[in-house]
Amino acid sequence: MVPLFLILVLVAVILSSLATAILLGFGIVSCSILIGWLRRNPATAFRALFVQLGAFFGIAGGMVIAFLLRSLTAMDGGLGLQLFVGAAVGLLCGLALAFAFNLMWTSALNWAFKRINRIG
């Protein structure tokens, strides 16, 4: 039988993780909206959103991959250093993907607007 204390700790961890995720998501979206509002350009808000999401998921993904590589292989060295390197590499990869997506997204929008202007 599991003690009530452990159940309460598990519930607290789940609720705090959920609250953190909600606040982080709200912060990313509101920061992107603020950037778009200050620049007076909705496209800038989307670009900022994609860059922030790329950075966040790149860091998280890099750390997960570093931890999995450490667990699946016999890597030497400290866990902290490996997670730091994973986060740094993940950040660079996430930003590269975000900038590539922004480039493709902007090109697609420009093509669509030219097509609409030609038709209309």
Side-chain angles (χ1 to χ4, degrees), residues 12-87:
V13 166
I14 291 171
L15 289 177
S16 64
S17 298
L18 182 63
T20 301
I22 289 170
L23 289 173
L24 184 64
F26 180 74
I28 288 173
V29 170
S30 62
C31 183
S32 300
I33 290 171
L34 179 65
I35 289 171
W37 181 70
L38 290 173
R39 296 279 183 143
R40 310 245 191 273
N41 187 356
T44 305
F46 282 108
R47 280 190 217 109
L49 177 67
F50 297 142
V51 168
Q52 290 177 34
L53 289 176
F56 174 74
F57 286 112
I59 290 171
M63 291 177 75
V64 167
I65 290 171
F67 182 76
L68 289 175
L69 282 175
R70 178 183 170 87
S71 299
L72 297 175
T73 62
M75 295 179 80
D76 293 332
L79 177 63
L81 178 62
Q82 290 172 355
L83 289 179
F84 176 76
V85 170

Side-chain angles (χ1 to χ4, degrees), residues 89-108:
V89 171
L91 174 64
L92 293 176
C93 292
L95 288 176
L97 286 174
F99 284 119
F101 182 78
N102 275 335
L103 182 64
M104 291 185 299
W105 182 72
T106 304
S107 299

Side-chain angles (χ1 to χ4, degrees), residues 2-14:
V2 178
L4 180 62
F5 176 74
L6 292 178
I7 293 172
L8 291 176
V9 167
L10 180 63
V11 168
V13 166
I14 291 171

